[in-house]
Amino acid sequence: MTPPYGPVLLAVDTYMQEDEIPGGEERRPPIPKLPRISSPAGEQGAVKEIARLLVNADRPVICADRLARTPEGLKRLIELAETLQAPVCDTTNRMNFPWRHPLNQTSRQRSLLSTADVLLALEPSDPFNLVTNKDRYGNLSPILPAGSTSITVSAAQLSPKGNYQTAQRYAGDVSLAVEADAEATLPLLIEEVKRQLPASRKSALQARGLAFAQAHRDDLNLAKQTVVYGWDDSPISVPRLCQELYAAIKDDDWSLVSDTEFQSHWPQKLWAANKHYQYIGGHGAQGIGYLTPAGLGAALANQKHGRLTVSIVGDGDLMFVPGTLWTAAHENIPILYVVHNNRCYHQELMQMQFIANRRQRGIDRLGIACNISHPDIHYADLAKSMGVYGEGPIEDPKDLGPALRRAVAVVKRGQPALVDVISQGR
Amino acid sequence: MRELVRLTANLARLCIASIGATAIVLAQAGAQDAAPAGSAARGKQLFAVDGCYECHGYQGQGNGRDGPKLAPDPPPLALIALVLRKPIDRMPVYTSKVLSDNDVADIYAYLQSIPKAKSVSDIPLLR
C-alpha cells in the first residue's frame, strides 16, 4: 500500500476458496474501504540538511535508481537537477530522467563520483556497489573521495526483508540515510533547496550547467563515433540493431518495455526519451524469462493509449516463456518483439570464459549450457506457429530496417509482431 | 546474479584501465612492436573460438561497455599481449597455455586486417 512497492503473493487454501461462507450471505465478511495512501516523505530536519549540503556543494552528484514510480518522479527529478544545475546519473532501472537532458551525465558516473563532494542517492538498490570499486581479487576501494558526504533517501529501508536481499552488501560510509520514499520527498527537498539557494550562487550554477551540457553533447558524439565500428558486420552489431529499431519507431508515440542491460544501454546512449512510459526500467532481479511476459503486460497497459510498444528480448529470455507469443496473438495485444538473438546465454558465457581461463581448464567446452544452437531456433517460425507475424532470421544489416518497418506496420494495425535478429553478444 | 552482471559489466572499464596502465609501462620501457607476422585468417578464427568476440565484438569494435575497441588501428601488439597475460580485474587471463604467442600474433594480424570504419556522417541513422 505504501512504498516500497513490490510484488505480493496471496495464497488461499483451495477448500477455503471453494466452500461456501460459513453462515451464508448474511455473515459475509466486510471488505474494508481502500484508503487514500500518503507516502512516507523525509523528515523535515533531514530534508533541510540535505538541501543545505546540496546548495553548498561544489561538485554534487545525484544518482537515481529505483526512484520514479509515477510520472511525477520524472518531473520532480528534472526540477531538482535544474534548480541545482547538478548532474544526474541514472542506473536505468527506472525512467528517472530524460535521456537527452543536458544534465544527464550517466556515462560519466564513475568519474563524477570520484570527485564528488556530495552524493545524493535516490532509492539506491545497491548503495555499496554505487560507491565501491572491486578488483579481480576482491579488494575494495572507495570511489568517493575522502571527506565527501554520501546521502541516501530510500523506502527500501522501511521494510527490509533481509540485509542482502533488500540492500545488497551493507554500505557503511553513508553520512545521512533518510528512510523515506524518495519521490514523495522530492517536492519538499526542491522547495527547501529553492529557499536556501542564495542569489549569489546562481551564476556559478549556470556555468556548471553549461559545462555539463557540453559534456552531454560530447558523450553523444562519442557514442555515435563508437558505433560506426562493426556497423555493417554480421552478426548484426547491437547498436545497429538499436538504431534501426529507433529509426522505425521514433516518429511514433513509442514505449520501450524491456530493460537495456544486455544491449549495453545503447538506447539510453543514442535515443531521445523524455516521457515516463517510454522506458519500463529494469526488472530488479536479473532473472531470465521476465522480459517477454512483462513486456506483454506493459503492451496491454499501453494499448488503450495507442502507444507503439516495442521490446528487445534475448533469445534466452524468449526460450523460457514462448507461450507469451500465443497470448499476444490470442488477446490481440499489439507489441513488437525484437529478438536480440546471439544464440547464447551470453551473460553466462562471459562468466564461464573468465572462470575457465583463470582455472586453465574447460576452455574448449564453454558452450555447454550456454550456447543456444545446434539446432538454431527460428523464432520467426515460432511466432508464426502461434499466430504472431514473424520476420527473420535477419542476418544482413541491410535487411533489418525494412523488416522492422513491415513489423511496425503490423503492430500499428493492432497485432503482435516479432523480428528475429541474428546479433552480436553485446 | 546481480553481482555477476555487475562484475561482467566492469570489463570495459577495467580493460581500458589495464591497457592504459600497461601503455605507460611500455612507453617507459621503450617497447616496440616487434611481433612475428601472423595469419589474419587464423586469427579471425581464434578471435571467435577463444571468446574475444564476447566482449570486443566480432570485428574488435568493442561494445562501449564490456570490452574496449581493438580494431581498426589496434594498440601495439606488445601492449595487447601484456594485457592478455596479466590482465587486471575482470578481463579473462590468457596464459600461453590457453593462447600461444603465435596465436596472439595471428589474432593481432586479424585486428590489423580490419578495414577502417565509415564516418558518422556516412551513416544516415547516426546523423
Side-chain angles (χ1 to χ4, degrees):
Chain A
M1 298 293 280
T2 58
Y5 297 113
V8 174
L9 174 66
L10 193 63
V12 181
D13 181 87
T14 302
Y15 294 121
M16 183 182 287
Q17 292 183 55
E18 295 176 347
D19 290 348
E20 292 183 358
I21 298 171
E25 282 295 312
E26 293 178 2
R27 299 283 304 274
R28 179 187 288 273
I31 299 174
K33 183 182 173 186
L34 184 67
R36 288 193 303 118
I37 302 298
S38 175
S39 298
E43 178 267 325
Q44 188 180 29
V47 171
K48 283 185 177 177
E49 175 68 2
I50 299 171
R52 185 186 68 79
L53 289 163
L54 289 172
V55 165
N56 292 297
D58 290 323
R59 296 174 304 283
V61 179
I62 301 170
C63 286
D65 193 350
R66 301 185 74 80
L67 165 67
R69 52 180 173 72
T70 75
E72 276 301 298
L74 175 68
K75 293 177 191 169
R76 295 298 187 182
L77 184 56
I78 295 170
E79 188 176 359
L80 177 65
E82 290 181 350
T83 303
L84 289 162
Q85 290 297 306
V88 174
C89 301
D90 187 347
T91 61
T92 74
N93 275 328
R94 294 273 174 86
M95 182 63 205
N96 290 312
F97 203 65
W99 296 351
R100 295 281 67 82
H101 192 288
L103 291 169
N104 190 325
Q105 303 290 317
T106 302
S107 61
R108 294 169 183 255
Q109 178 173 314
R110 291 272 171 174
S111 62
L112 285 170
L113 288 180
S114 69
T115 59
D117 52 3
V118 174
L119 164 65
L120 174 62
L122 301 170
E123 302 290 351
S125 54
D126 190 348
F128 173 82
N129 180 60
L130 179 64
V131 296
T132 309
N133 271 325
K134 186 176 180 184
D135 71 13
R136 68 188 293 127
Y137 305 108
N139 298 314
L140 306 175
S141 58
I143 298 174
L144 291 171
S148 60
T149 301
S150 172
I151 306 161
T152 61
V153 182
S154 173
Q157 299 165 57
L158 293 172
S159 61
K161 298 179 287 294
N163 55 340
Y164 300 132
Q165 184 185 1
T166 302
Q168 304 294 310
R169 186 165 174 163
Y170 178 67
D173 293 329
V174 176
S175 313
L176 176 59
V178 179
E179 298 185 4
D181 176 53
E183 183 177 309
T185 304
L186 280 178
L188 307 174
L189 180 58
I190 292 164
E191 185 181 329
E192 192 60 33
V193 165
K194 287 179 176 174
R195 196 183 68 78
Q196 293 190 26
L197 193 63
S200 59
R201 288 279 288 156
K202 289 188 178 169
S203 62
L205 297 191
Q206 189 178 21
R208 184 161 78 193
L210 289 173
F212 282 125
Q214 183 60 49
H216 183 90
R217 286 192 293 274
D218 291 346
D219 285 346
L220 178 59
N221 288 332
L222 180 62
K224 288 180 178 179
Q225 289 163 17
T226 300
V227 304
V228 300
Y229 303 106
W231 184 258
D232 293 324
D233 201 10
S234 178
I236 294 171
S237 79
V238 176
R240 175 79 183 256
L241 181 158
C242 293
Q243 281 309 90
E244 293 283 0
L245 174 60
Y246 188 50
I249 65 172
K250 66 183 173 62
D251 294 328
D252 292 290
D253 190 21
W254 58 268
S255 173
L256 177 63
V257 295
S258 51
D259 191 3
T260 57
E261 174 86 33
F262 296 151
Q263 288 77 47
S264 301
H265 302 303
W266 284 114
Q268 278 87 349
K269 294 173 188 171
L270 294 167
W271 300 12
N274 54 20
K275 300 183 179 75
H276 72 275
Y277 55 80
Q278 285 188 304
Y279 177 58
I280 196 173
H283 34 53
Q286 303 292 353
I288 295 184
Y290 159 88
L291 290 175
T292 312
L296 189 63
L300 181 61
N302 278 334
Q303 190 173 19
K304 66 183 176 188
H305 299 288
R307 296 170 188 152
L308 175 59
T309 304
V310 298
S311 172
I312 306 173
V313 296
D315 50 335
D317 192 276
L318 191 50
M319 276 287 281
F320 277 73
V321 273
T324 305
L325 299 173
W326 179 86
T327 304
H330 183 73
E331 301 293 343
N332 292 313
I333 301 172
I335 182 172
L336 170 59
Y337 284 113
V338 179
V339 185
H340 173 188
N341 186 353
N342 51 31
R343 291 179 171 156
C344 189
Y345 294 107
H346 198 83
Q347 184 69 43
E348 185 69 4
L349 182 70
M350 290 191 291
Q351 176 69 7
M352 292 298 104
Q353 183 85 53
F354 180 80
I355 297 300
N357 281 33
R358 177 195 277 184
R359 294 177 181 166
Q360 302 288 292
R361 64 172 190 253
I363 292 157
D364 57 340
R365 299 194 299 278
L366 293 174
I368 296 173
C370 291
N371 288 345
I372 308 175
S373 56
H374 307 295
D376 296 336
I377 299 170
H378 290 261
Y379 287 95
D381 290 344
L382 176 69
K384 289 173 189 170
S385 77
M386 298 196 189
V388 172
Y389 178 87
E391 287 260 6
I394 307 291
E395 300 191 46
D396 187 332
K398 290 196 295 293
D399 297 333
L400 181 54
L404 287 168
R405 287 192 287 277
R406 289 191 294 270
V408 164
V410 170
V411 177
K412 285 183 173 179
R413 292 198 295 271
Q415 298 298 314
L418 178 148
V419 178
D420 181 14
V421 187
I422 305 305
S423 319
Q424 305 220 5
R426 287 285 184 274
Chain B
M1 186 62 180
R2 180 182 294 178
E3 177 74 359
L4 170 63
V5 172
R6 188 166 58 236
L7 292 173
T8 310
N10 282 340
L11 272 169
R13 181 172 49 82
L14 303 171
C15 288
I16 291 167
S18 179
I19 286 175
T22 312
I24 295 169
V25 172
L26 286 173
Q28 289 172 341
Q32 297 298 311
D33 191 12
S39 160
R42 184 168 179 273
K44 182 177 183 178
Q45 290 178 334
L46 291 171
F47 201 76
V49 170
D50 289 310
C52 310
Y53 78 96
E54 293 166 17
C55 301
H56 299 286
Y58 285 96
Q59 299 244 337
Q61 73 268 23
N63 62 16
R65 187 179 174 197
D66 300 323
K69 178 179 91 65
L70 298 176
D73 302 322
L77 172 61
L79 174 56
I80 285 184
L82 196 55
V83 173
L84 285 166
R85 302 300 191 220
K86 294 186 182 299
I88 61 170
D89 297 307
R90 296 299 291 180
M91 166 73 189
V93 61
Y94 285 83
T95 65
S96 57
K97 184 179 174 184
V98 176
L99 205 63
S100 70
D101 289 344
N102 284 337
D103 291 342
V104 175
D106 288 344
I107 288 174
Y108 193 72
Y110 168 59
L111 295 175
Q112 285 183 308
S113 75
I114 293 172
K116 299 279 186 192
K118 293 176 179 174
S119 71
V120 171
S121 59
D122 293 331
I123 301 173
L125 294 184
L126 296 176
R127 287 180 198 146

